[in-house]
Coordinates of all heavy atoms in Angstrom, one line a residue:
M92 N 11.4 4.0 8.4 CA 10.7 3.7 7.2 C 11.2 2.4 6.6 O 12.0 1.8 7.1 CB 10.8 4.9 6.2 CG 10.1 6.2 6.6 SD 8.4 5.9 6.7 CE 8.0 7.0 8.0
S93 N 10.6 2.1 5.4 CA 11.0 0.8 4.8 C 12.5 0.7 4.5 O 13.1 1.6 4.1 CB 10.2 0.6 3.5 OG 10.6 -0.5 2.8
V94 N 13.0 -0.5 4.8 CA 14.4 -0.7 4.4 C 14.6 -1.1 3.0 O 15.7 -1.1 2.5 CB 15.0 -1.9 5.3 CG1 15.0 -1.5 6.7 CG2 14.2 -3.2 5.1
Q95 N 13.5 -1.4 2.3 CA 13.5 -1.6 0.8 C 13.6 -0.3 0.1 O 12.9 0.7 0.5 CB 12.3 -2.4 0.4 CG 12.1 -3.7 1.1 CD 13.2 -4.7 0.7 OE1 13.7 -4.7 -0.4 NE2 13.6 -5.6 1.6
S96 N 14.4 -0.3 -1.0 CA 14.5 1.0 -1.7 C 13.2 1.3 -2.4 O 12.7 2.4 -2.5 CB 15.6 0.9 -2.7 OG 15.4 -0.2 -3.6
S97 N 12.5 0.3 -3.0 CA 11.3 0.5 -3.7 C 10.5 -0.8 -3.7 O 11.1 -1.9 -3.9 CB 11.5 1.0 -5.1 OG 10.3 1.3 -5.7
V98 N 9.2 -0.7 -3.4 CA 8.4 -1.9 -3.3 C 7.1 -1.7 -4.1 O 6.7 -0.6 -4.3 CB 8.1 -2.4 -1.9 CG1 9.3 -2.7 -1.1 CG2 7.3 -1.3 -1.2
L99 N 6.5 -2.8 -4.5 CA 5.2 -2.8 -5.1 C 4.3 -3.6 -4.1 O 4.7 -4.7 -3.7 CB 5.2 -3.5 -6.5 CG 6.1 -2.9 -7.5 CD1 6.2 -3.9 -8.8 CD2 5.6 -1.6 -7.9
V100 N 3.2 -3.1 -3.8 CA 2.2 -3.8 -3.0 C 1.1 -4.2 -3.9 O 0.4 -3.4 -4.5 CB 1.7 -2.9 -1.8 CG1 0.7 -3.6 -1.0 CG2 2.9 -2.4 -1.0
V101 N 0.9 -5.5 -3.9 CA -0.1 -6.1 -4.8 C -1.3 -6.6 -3.9 O -1.0 -7.5 -3.1 CB 0.4 -7.2 -5.7 CG1 -0.6 -7.8 -6.6 CG2 1.6 -6.7 -6.5
V102 N -2.5 -6.1 -4.1 CA -3.6 -6.6 -3.4 C -4.5 -7.4 -4.3 O -5.0 -6.8 -5.3 CB -4.4 -5.4 -2.8 CG1 -5.7 -5.9 -2.1 CG2 -3.5 -4.5 -1.9
S103 N -4.7 -8.6 -4.0 CA -5.5 -9.5 -4.8 C -6.7 -10.0 -4.0 O -6.8 -9.7 -2.8 CB -4.7 -10.7 -5.4 OG -4.4 -11.6 -4.4
R104 N -7.5 -10.8 -4.5 CA -8.6 -11.4 -3.7 C -8.1 -12.4 -2.7 O -8.8 -12.5 -1.6 CB -9.6 -12.1 -4.6 CG -10.4 -11.2 -5.5 CD -11.4 -11.9 -6.3 NE -12.1 -10.9 -7.1 CZ -12.7 -11.2 -8.2 NH1 -12.8 -12.4 -8.7 NH2 -13.3 -10.2 -8.9
E105 N -7.0 -13.0 -2.9 CA -6.5 -14.0 -2.0 C -5.4 -13.5 -1.0 O -5.3 -14.0 0.1 CB -5.9 -15.2 -2.7 CG -6.8 -16.0 -3.5 CD -7.2 -15.4 -4.9 OE1 -6.3 -14.6 -5.4 OE2 -8.3 -15.5 -5.4
A106 N -4.6 -12.5 -1.4 CA -3.5 -12.1 -0.5 C -3.1 -10.7 -0.8 O -3.4 -10.1 -1.8 CB -2.3 -13.0 -0.7
I107 N -2.2 -10.2 0.1 CA -1.5 -8.9 -0.1 C 0.0 -9.3 -0.2 O 0.5 -10.0 0.7 CB -1.7 -7.9 1.1 CG1 -3.1 -7.5 1.1 CG2 -0.8 -6.7 0.9 CD1 -3.5 -6.7 2.3
T108 N 0.6 -9.0 -1.3 CA 2.0 -9.4 -1.5 C 2.8 -8.1 -1.7 O 2.5 -7.2 -2.5 CB 2.1 -10.3 -2.8 OG1 1.2 -11.4 -2.7 CG2 3.5 -10.8 -3.0
V109 N 4.0 -8.1 -1.0 CA 4.9 -7.0 -1.1 C 6.1 -7.5 -1.9 O 6.7 -8.4 -1.5 CB 5.3 -6.4 0.3 CG1 6.3 -5.3 0.1 CG2 4.1 -6.0 1.1
L110 N 6.4 -6.8 -3.0 CA 7.5 -7.2 -3.9 C 8.6 -6.1 -3.9 O 8.3 -4.9 -4.0 CB 7.0 -7.4 -5.3 CG 5.8 -8.3 -5.5 CD1 5.3 -8.2 -6.9 CD2 6.3 -9.8 -5.3
S111 N 9.8 -6.5 -3.7 CA 10.9 -5.6 -3.8 C 11.4 -5.4 -5.2 O 11.4 -6.4 -6.0 CB 12.1 -6.1 -3.0 OG 13.2 -5.3 -3.2
T112 N 11.6 -4.2 -5.6 CA 12.1 -4.0 -7.0 C 13.6 -3.7 -7.1 O 14.1 -3.5 -8.1 CB 11.3 -2.8 -7.6 OG1 11.6 -1.6 -6.8 CG2 9.9 -3.1 -7.7
G113 N 14.3 -3.6 -5.9 CA 15.7 -3.4 -5.9 C 16.0 -1.9 -6.0 O 15.1 -1.1 -6.0
F114 N 17.3 -1.6 -6.1 CA 17.8 -0.2 -6.1 C 17.7 0.4 -7.5 O 17.6 1.6 -7.6 CB 19.2 -0.2 -5.6 CG 19.3 -0.4 -4.1 CD1 19.7 -1.6 -3.6 CD2 18.9 0.6 -3.2 CE1 19.8 -1.8 -2.3 CE2 18.9 0.4 -1.8 CZ 19.4 -0.9 -1.4
W115 N 17.9 -0.4 -8.6 CA 18.0 0.2 -9.9 C 16.8 0.3 -10.7 O 16.7 0.9 -11.8 CB 19.1 -0.6 -10.7 CG 20.4 -0.7 -9.9 CD1 20.9 -1.8 -9.3 CD2 21.2 0.4 -9.6 NE1 22.1 -1.4 -8.7 CE2 22.3 -0.1 -8.8 CE3 21.2 1.8 -9.8 CZ2 23.3 0.7 -8.3 CZ3 22.3 2.6 -9.3 CH2 23.3 2.0 -8.6
S116 N 15.7 -0.4 -10.3 CA 14.5 -0.4 -11.1 C 13.3 -0.2 -10.1 O 13.3 -0.8 -9.0 CB 14.3 -1.7 -11.8 OG 13.1 -1.8 -12.5
T117 N 12.3 0.5 -10.5 CA 11.1 0.6 -9.7 C 9.9 -0.1 -10.3 O 8.8 -0.1 -9.8 CB 10.7 2.1 -9.5 OG1 10.5 2.7 -10.8 CG2 11.8 2.8 -8.8
K118 N 10.1 -0.8 -11.5 CA 9.0 -1.5 -12.2 C 9.1 -3.0 -12.3 O 8.2 -3.6 -12.6 CB 8.9 -0.9 -13.6 CG 8.5 0.6 -13.5 CD 8.4 1.2 -14.9 CE 8.1 2.7 -14.8 NZ 8.2 3.3 -16.1
V119 N 10.3 -3.5 -12.1 CA 10.5 -5.0 -12.2 C 10.7 -5.6 -10.9 O 11.7 -5.3 -10.2 CB 11.8 -5.2 -13.1 CG1 12.0 -6.7 -13.3 CG2 11.6 -4.5 -14.5
P120 N 9.8 -6.5 -10.5 CA 10.0 -7.1 -9.2 C 11.2 -8.0 -9.1 O 11.5 -8.8 -10.1 CB 8.7 -8.0 -9.0 CG 7.8 -7.5 -10.0 CD 8.6 -6.8 -11.1
K121 N 11.9 -8.0 -8.0 CA 13.1 -8.9 -7.8 C 12.9 -10.0 -6.8 O 13.4 -11.1 -7.0 CB 14.3 -8.0 -7.3 CG 14.7 -6.9 -8.2 CD 15.4 -7.4 -9.5 CE 15.8 -6.1 -10.3 NZ 16.2 -6.4 -11.6
S122 N 12.1 -9.7 -5.8 CA 11.9 -10.7 -4.8 C 10.6 -10.4 -4.0 O 10.1 -9.3 -4.0 CB 13.0 -10.8 -3.8 OG 13.2 -9.6 -3.1
V123 N 10.1 -11.5 -3.3 CA 8.9 -11.3 -2.5 C 9.3 -11.0 -1.1 O 10.1 -11.7 -0.5 CB 8.0 -12.6 -2.5 CG1 6.9 -12.5 -1.5 CG2 7.5 -12.9 -3.9
V124 N 8.9 -9.8 -0.6 CA 9.3 -9.4 0.8 C 8.3 -10.0 1.8 O 8.7 -10.4 2.9 CB 9.3 -7.9 0.9 CG1 9.5 -7.4 2.3 CG2 10.3 -7.3 -0.1
A125 N 7.0 -10.0 1.5 CA 6.0 -10.5 2.4 C 4.8 -10.9 1.7 O 4.4 -10.4 0.6 CB 5.6 -9.4 3.4
R126 N 4.1 -11.9 2.2 CA 2.8 -12.3 1.7 C 1.9 -12.5 2.9 O 2.1 -13.3 3.8 CB 2.9 -13.6 0.9 CG 1.6 -14.1 0.2 CD 1.9 -15.2 -0.7 NE 0.7 -15.8 -1.2 CZ 0.0 -15.4 -2.3 NH1 0.6 -14.5 -3.1 NH2 -1.1 -16.0 -2.7
L127 N 0.8 -11.7 2.9 CA -0.2 -11.7 4.0 C -1.6 -12.1 3.5 O -1.9 -11.9 2.3 CB -0.2 -10.3 4.6 CG 1.2 -9.8 5.1 CD1 1.3 -8.3 5.2 CD2 1.6 -10.5 6.4
P128 N -2.4 -12.6 4.4 CA -3.8 -12.9 4.0 C -4.5 -11.6 3.6 O -4.2 -10.5 4.1 CB -4.4 -13.5 5.2 CG -3.5 -13.3 6.4 CD -2.1 -12.9 5.8
R129 N -5.5 -11.8 2.7 CA -6.3 -10.6 2.2 C -7.0 -9.9 3.3 O -7.3 -8.7 3.2 CB -7.2 -11.1 1.1 CG -8.1 -9.9 0.5 CD -7.2 -8.8 0.0 NE -7.9 -7.6 -0.3 CZ -8.0 -6.5 0.4 NH1 -7.3 -6.4 1.5 NH2 -8.7 -5.5 0.0
N130 N -7.4 -10.5 4.4 CA -8.1 -9.8 5.5 C -7.2 -8.9 6.3 O -7.7 -8.3 7.3 CB -8.9 -10.8 6.3 CG -7.9 -11.7 7.1 OD1 -6.7 -11.7 6.9 ND2 -8.5 -12.6 7.9
T131 N -5.9 -8.7 5.9 CA -5.0 -7.8 6.6 C -5.4 -6.4 6.1 O -5.6 -6.1 5.0 CB -3.6 -8.1 6.1 OG1 -3.3 -9.4 6.5 CG2 -2.6 -7.2 6.8
V132 N -5.4 -5.5 7.1 CA -5.7 -4.1 6.9 C -4.4 -3.3 6.7 O -3.5 -3.4 7.5 CB -6.6 -3.5 8.0 CG1 -6.8 -2.0 7.8 CG2 -7.9 -4.2 8.2
L133 N -4.4 -2.5 5.6 CA -3.2 -1.7 5.3 C -3.1 -0.4 6.1 O -2.0 0.0 6.5 CB -3.1 -1.3 3.8 CG -3.1 -2.5 2.8 CD1 -3.3 -1.9 1.4 CD2 -1.8 -3.2 3.0
G134 N -4.2 0.2 6.4 CA -4.2 1.5 7.1 C -4.3 1.4 8.6 O -4.1 0.4 9.1
P135 N -4.5 2.5 9.2 CA -4.8 3.8 8.6 C -3.6 4.5 8.0 O -2.5 4.2 8.4 CB -5.4 4.7 9.7 CG -4.7 4.1 10.9 CD -4.5 2.6 10.6
V136 N -3.9 5.3 7.0 CA -2.8 6.0 6.3 C -2.4 7.3 7.1 O -3.3 8.1 7.4 CB -3.2 6.4 4.9 CG1 -2.1 7.3 4.2 CG2 -3.5 5.2 4.1
G137 N -1.2 7.4 7.5 CA -0.7 8.6 8.2 C -0.4 9.7 7.2 O 0.2 9.4 6.2
T138 N -1.0 10.8 7.4 CA -0.8 11.9 6.4 C -0.2 13.2 7.0 O -0.4 14.3 6.5 CB -2.2 12.3 5.8 OG1 -3.1 12.6 6.8 CG2 -2.7 11.1 5.0
Q139 N 0.6 13.1 8.1 CA 1.2 14.3 8.7 C 2.1 15.0 7.8 O 2.0 16.2 7.6 CB 1.9 13.9 10.0 CG 1.1 13.4 11.1 CD 0.6 12.0 11.0 OE1 0.9 11.3 10.0 NE2 -0.2 11.5 11.9
A140 N 3.1 14.3 7.2 CA 4.0 15.0 6.2 C 3.9 14.2 4.9 O 3.2 14.6 4.0 CB 5.4 14.9 6.8
T141 N 4.6 13.1 4.8 CA 4.5 12.2 3.7 C 3.6 11.0 4.0 O 3.7 10.4 5.1 CB 5.9 11.6 3.4 OG1 6.8 12.7 3.1 CG2 5.9 10.7 2.2
P142 N 2.6 10.8 3.2 CA 1.6 9.7 3.5 C 2.4 8.3 3.6 O 3.3 8.1 2.9 CB 0.7 9.6 2.3 CG 0.8 11.0 1.7 CD 2.2 11.4 1.9
Y143 N 1.9 7.5 4.6 CA 2.5 6.2 4.8 C 1.5 5.3 5.4 O 0.5 5.7 6.0 CB 3.8 6.3 5.7 CG 3.5 6.6 7.1 CD1 3.3 5.5 8.0 CD2 3.3 7.9 7.6 CE1 3.0 5.8 9.4 CE2 3.0 8.1 8.9 CZ 2.8 7.1 9.8 OH 2.5 7.3 11.1
F144 N 1.8 4.0 5.3 CA 1.0 3.0 6.0 C 1.9 2.0 6.6 O 3.1 1.8 6.1 CB -0.1 2.4 5.1 CG 0.4 1.6 4.0 CD1 0.7 0.2 4.1 CD2 0.8 2.1 2.8 CE1 1.2 -0.6 3.1 CE2 1.3 1.4 1.7 CZ 1.5 0.0 1.9
S145 N 1.5 1.3 7.6 CA 2.3 0.2 8.2 C 1.7 -1.1 7.8 O 0.5 -1.3 7.9 CB 2.3 0.4 9.7 OG 2.9 1.5 10.1
L146 N 2.6 -2.0 7.4 CA 2.2 -3.4 7.1 C 3.2 -4.4 7.6 O 4.4 -4.2 7.3 CB 2.1 -3.5 5.5 CG 1.6 -4.8 5.0 CD1 0.2 -5.1 5.4 CD2 1.6 -4.8 3.5
D147 N 2.7 -5.2 8.4 CA 3.6 -6.3 9.0 C 4.8 -5.7 9.8 O 5.9 -6.1 9.7 CB 4.1 -7.2 7.9 CG 4.5 -8.6 8.5 OD1 4.0 -9.0 9.5 OD2 5.3 -9.3 7.8
G148 N 4.6 -4.5 10.4 CA 5.6 -3.9 11.2 C 6.5 -3.0 10.5 O 7.5 -2.4 11.1
V149 N 6.3 -2.8 9.2 CA 7.2 -1.9 8.4 C 6.3 -0.7 7.9 O 5.2 -0.9 7.4 CB 7.8 -2.7 7.2 CG1 8.7 -1.8 6.3 CG2 8.6 -3.9 7.7
D150 N 6.9 0.5 7.9 CA 6.2 1.7 7.4 C 6.6 1.8 5.9 O 7.8 1.8 5.6 CB 6.6 2.9 8.2 CG 6.1 2.9 9.6 OD1 5.1 2.2 9.9 OD2 6.6 3.7 10.4
Y151 N 5.6 2.0 5.1 CA 5.8 2.3 3.7 C 5.3 3.6 3.3 O 4.2 3.9 3.5 CB 5.1 1.2 2.8 CG 5.7 -0.2 3.0 CD1 5.0 -1.1 3.9 CD2 6.8 -0.6 2.4 CE1 5.5 -2.4 4.1 CE2 7.3 -1.9 2.6 CZ 6.7 -2.8 3.4 OH 7.2 -4.0 3.6
E152 N 6.2 4.5 2.7 CA 5.8 5.8 2.2 C 5.1 5.6 0.9 O 5.5 4.8 0.1 CB 7.0 6.7 2.0 CG 7.6 7.1 3.3 CD 8.8 8.0 3.1 OE1 9.2 8.3 2.0 OE2 9.4 8.5 4.1
I153 N 4.0 6.4 0.7 CA 3.3 6.3 -0.6 C 3.1 7.8 -1.1 O 3.1 8.7 -0.4 CB 2.0 5.6 -0.5 CG1 1.1 6.3 0.5 CG2 2.2 4.2 -0.2 CD1 -0.3 5.7 0.6
D154 N 2.9 7.9 -2.4 CA 2.6 9.2 -3.0 C 1.1 9.5 -2.7 O 0.3 8.6 -2.4 CB 2.7 9.1 -4.6 CG 4.2 9.0 -5.0 OD1 5.1 9.4 -4.2 OD2 4.4 8.4 -6.1
D155 N 0.8 10.8 -2.7 CA -0.5 11.3 -2.3 C -1.6 10.6 -3.1 O -2.7 10.3 -2.6 CB -0.6 12.8 -2.5 CG 0.2 13.6 -1.6 OD1 0.5 13.1 -0.4 OD2 0.6 14.7 -1.9
E156 N -1.4 10.3 -4.4 CA -2.5 9.8 -5.2 C -2.9 8.4 -4.9 O -3.9 7.9 -5.3 CB -2.2 9.9 -6.7 CG -1.0 9.0 -7.1 CD 0.2 9.8 -7.5 OE1 0.5 10.8 -7.0 OE2 1.0 9.2 -8.3
Y157 N -2.0 7.7 -4.1 CA -2.3 6.3 -3.7 C -3.0 6.2 -2.4 O -3.4 5.1 -2.0 CB -1.0 5.5 -3.7 CG -0.5 5.4 -5.1 CD1 0.8 6.0 -5.4 CD2 -1.1 4.7 -6.1 CE1 1.3 5.9 -6.7 CE2 -0.6 4.7 -7.4 CZ 0.6 5.2 -7.7 OH 1.1 5.2 -8.9
V158 N -3.2 7.3 -1.7 CA -4.0 7.2 -0.4 C -5.4 6.7 -0.6 O -5.8 5.8 0.2 CB -4.0 8.6 0.3 CG1 -4.9 8.6 1.5 CG2 -2.6 9.1 0.6
A159 N -6.1 7.1 -1.6 CA -7.4 6.6 -1.9 C -7.4 5.1 -2.2 O -8.3 4.4 -1.9 CB -8.1 7.4 -3.0
V160 N -6.3 4.6 -2.9 CA -6.2 3.2 -3.2 C -6.1 2.4 -1.9 O -6.7 1.3 -1.8 CB -5.0 3.0 -4.2 CG1 -4.9 1.5 -4.5 CG2 -5.2 3.8 -5.5
V161 N -5.2 2.8 -1.0 CA -5.1 2.1 0.2 C -6.4 2.1 1.0 O -6.8 1.1 1.6 CB -3.9 2.7 1.1 CG1 -3.9 2.1 2.5 CG2 -2.6 2.5 0.4
N162 N -7.0 3.2 1.1 CA -8.3 3.3 1.8 C -9.4 2.4 1.2 O -10.2 1.8 1.9 CB -8.8 4.8 1.8 CG -8.0 5.6 2.7 OD1 -7.3 5.2 3.7 ND2 -8.0 6.9 2.5
A163 N -9.4 2.3 -0.2 CA -10.3 1.5 -0.8 C -10.1 0.0 -0.5 O -11.0 -0.8 -0.3 CB -10.3 1.7 -2.3
A164 N -8.8 -0.4 -0.5 CA -8.4 -1.8 -0.2 C -8.9 -2.1 1.2 O -9.4 -3.2 1.5 CB -6.9 -2.0 -0.4
D165 N -8.7 -1.2 2.1 CA -9.1 -1.4 3.5 C -10.7 -1.4 3.7 O -11.2 -2.2 4.4 CB -8.6 -0.3 4.4 CG -7.1 -0.5 4.7 OD1 -6.6 -1.6 4.3 OD2 -6.5 0.4 5.3
A166 N -11.3 -0.6 2.9 CA -12.8 -0.5 3.0 C -13.4 -1.8 2.5 O -14.5 -2.2 3.0 CB -13.3 0.6 2.1
E167 N -12.8 -2.5 1.6 CA -13.3 -3.8 1.1 C -13.4 -4.8 2.3 O -14.2 -5.7 2.4 CB -12.4 -4.4 0.1 CG -12.6 -3.8 -1.3 CD -11.7 -4.4 -2.3 OE1 -10.7 -5.1 -2.0 OE2 -12.0 -4.2 -3.5
I168 N -12.4 -4.7 3.3 CA -12.4 -5.6 4.4 C -13.2 -5.1 5.6 O -13.9 -5.8 6.2 CB -10.9 -5.8 4.8 CG1 -10.1 -6.4 3.7 CG2 -10.8 -6.7 6.1 CD1 -10.6 -7.7 3.2
T169 N -12.9 -3.8 6.0 CA -13.5 -3.3 7.2 C -15.0 -2.8 7.1 O -15.7 -3.0 8.0 CB -12.7 -2.1 7.8 OG1 -12.6 -1.1 6.8 CG2 -11.3 -2.6 8.1
S170 N -15.3 -2.2 6.0 CA -16.7 -1.7 5.8 C -17.0 -1.7 4.3 O -17.0 -0.6 3.7 CB -16.8 -0.3 6.4 OG -15.9 0.6 5.9
P171 N -17.3 -2.8 3.8 CA -17.6 -2.9 2.3 C -18.8 -2.0 1.9 O -18.9 -1.6 0.7 CB -17.9 -4.3 2.1 CG -18.1 -5.0 3.4 CD -17.5 -4.1 4.4
Q172 N -19.6 -1.6 2.8 CA -20.8 -0.8 2.5 C -20.4 0.7 2.3 O -21.2 1.5 1.8 CB -21.9 -0.9 3.5 CG -21.7 -0.3 4.8 CD -20.8 -1.1 5.8 OE1 -20.3 -2.2 5.4 NE2 -20.6 -0.7 7.0
D173 N -19.2 1.1 2.8 CA -18.8 2.5 2.8 C -17.8 2.7 1.7 O -17.0 1.8 1.4 CB -18.2 2.9 4.1 CG -19.2 2.9 5.2 OD1 -20.4 3.0 5.0 OD2 -18.7 2.7 6.4
L174 N -17.7 3.9 1.1 CA -16.7 4.3 0.2 C -15.7 5.2 0.9 O -16.1 6.0 1.7 CB -17.3 5.0 -1.0 CG -18.2 4.2 -1.9 CD1 -18.8 5.1 -3.0 CD2 -17.5 3.0 -2.5
P175 N -14.4 5.0 0.6 CA -13.4 5.9 1.2 C -13.5 7.3 0.7 O -13.9 7.5 -0.5 CB -12.0 5.3 0.8 CG -12.3 4.5 -0.4 CD -13.8 4.1 -0.3
Q176 N -13.1 8.3 1.5 CA -13.1 9.7 1.0 C -12.0 9.9 0.0 O -10.9 9.3 0.2 CB -12.9 10.6 2.2 CG -14.0 10.7 3.1 CD -13.8 11.7 4.3 OE1 -12.7 12.2 4.4 NE2 -14.8 11.9 5.1
D177 N -12.2 10.7 -1.0 CA -11.2 11.0 -2.0 C -10.2 12.0 -1.4 O -10.6 13.1 -1.1 CB -11.8 11.5 -3.2 CG -10.9 11.7 -4.4 OD1 -9.7 11.5 -4.2 OD2 -11.3 12.1 -5.5
P178 N -8.9 11.7 -1.3 CA -8.0 12.7 -0.7 C -7.6 13.8 -1.7 O -7.1 14.8 -1.2 CB -6.7 11.8 -0.4 CG -6.8 10.7 -1.4 CD -8.3 10.4 -1.6
L179 N -7.9 13.6 -2.9 CA -7.6 14.6 -3.9 C -8.9 14.9 -4.8 O -9.0 14.7 -5.9 CB -6.5 14.2 -4.9 CG -5.2 13.8 -4.2 CD1 -4.2 13.2 -5.1 CD2 -4.6 15.1 -3.6
P180 N -9.9 15.5 -4.1 CA -11.2 15.7 -4.8 C -11.1 16.7 -6.0 O -12.0 16.7 -6.9 CB -12.1 16.2 -3.7 CG -11.2 16.8 -2.7 CD -9.9 16.1 -2.8
D181 N -10.1 17.5 -6.0 CA -9.9 18.6 -7.1 C -9.4 18.0 -8.4 O -9.4 18.7 -9.4 CB -9.0 19.7 -6.6 CG -9.6 20.4 -5.4 OD1 -10.8 20.3 -5.2 OD2 -8.7 20.9 -4.6
L182 N -9.0 16.8 -8.4 CA -8.4 16.2 -9.7 C -9.5 15.5 -10.5 O -10.4 14.9 -10.1 CB -7.3 15.2 -9.4 CG -6.1 15.8 -8.7 CD1 -5.0 14.7 -8.5 CD2 -5.5 16.9 -9.6

């Protein structure tokens, strides 16, 4: 899994940026880990135990509620005409 203790993945129109937040904070970015072009696909999301996705050779674990967000970011690139399935339709 990721060697970073906590990261923020920012998807913008121009790029995907991975920011490390360090060990003591999960909300304040400390450094840029990676910056990739926006046409990079984040998924597919592995959902066997803990959901995760691979980006630039690194696996990142995510909470269940963010699976739809990753799928939506990928759908913008791979199939903009389709909507991703909601992994938590009961909420």
Side-chain angles (χ1 to χ4, degrees):
M92 293 297 148
S93 172
V94 295
Q95 300 293 326
S96 59
S97 186
V98 297
L99 301 172
V100 178
V101 180
V102 178
S103 69
R104 290 185 179 155
E105 293 82 29
I107 296 174
T108 306
V109 181
L110 304 169
S111 173
T112 61
F114 289 104
W115 306 112
S116 173
T117 59
K118 297 179 182 172
V119 180
K121 302 286 184 197
S122 64
V123 175
V124 175
R126 185 171 171 92
L127 303 159
R129 178 57 189 104
N130 62 356
T131 304
V132 177
L133 299 172
V136 176
T138 57
Q139 292 78 359
T141 301
Y143 72 94
F144 66 92
S145 296
L146 183 61
D147 203 25
V149 179
D150 293 340
Y151 295 98
E152 292 181 356
I153 57 173
D154 292 332
D155 291 334
E156 67 250 29
Y157 297 113
V158 172
V160 176
V161 172
N162 288 337
D165 286 349
E167 286 182 341
I168 300 301
T169 60
S170 56
Q172 71 279 3
D173 296 333
L174 294 174
Q176 293 182 351
D177 186 357
L179 302 170
D181 300 334
L182 293 181

